[in-house]
Amino acid sequence: MIVLFTVAILSVSALSNNAYANHVVGAGSTLDVVAAEGSDTINVSGITDRSDEIIIKVLAPNRNLVSIDQITPSGGSFMTTIETGGALWSQDGMYTISAHQGAASNYQTSADVEIIDGHVIPEFGVIAAMILAVAIVS
């Protein structure tokens, strides 16, 4: 039991530096949202099969607009970096990052990122499962 507990703790500490990543696939485009735990930047990128402008919007948990950016895809791909610091990012919770290209619904994708005190918080699904397993075994 002590060995299992030690392995669980080592696994949790090894996972703590992982980056948050979310990959969303729409019918005509993809959206990748990547941020390191504790970071104050979020990297947004994706692929599209159209050349129209892409609007990147960030909505706070209360649905207020926090950030907006317009990107021209180059060779079918796009990329931007979003800074999370400042007064607009003061609300803790899930922020929605969406990419819109034209009016067609298959060119609209979104992903959620949890922000606490203006910093990215990773998802803890694996850690929670490991803690539950240790609790059950003990």
Side-chain angles (χ1 to χ4, degrees), residues 63-135:
R63 309 308 289 164
N64 285 345
L65 183 64
V66 174
S67 175
I68 191 163
D69 195 3
Q70 181 174 332
I71 305 169
T72 303
S74 174
S77 63
F78 59 92
M79 180 176 27
T80 189
T81 300
I82 300 169
E83 300 287 331
T84 62
L88 294 175
W89 295 85
S90 62
Q91 187 177 16
D92 294 345
M94 295 300 274
Y95 284 72
T96 301
I97 300 171
S98 61
H100 301 272
Q101 189 177 28
S105 62
N106 57 332
Y107 290 93
Q108 298 179 10
T109 56
S110 65
D112 293 328
V113 176
E114 186 171 7
I115 304 290
I116 303 290
D117 294 330
H119 294 88
V120 175
I121 303 299
E123 295 197 13
F124 293 104
V126 174
I127 295 172
M130 292 176 76
I131 291 171
L132 178 62
V134 169

Side-chain angles (χ1 to χ4, degrees), residues 44-66:
V44 178
S45 62
I47 299 171
T48 182
D49 59 4
R50 296 174 68 186
S51 60
D52 301 347
E53 299 290 321
I54 298 169
I55 305 298
I56 304 290
K57 289 194 248 182
V58 181
L59 298 178
N62 63 0
R63 309 308 289 164
N64 285 345
L65 183 64
V66 174

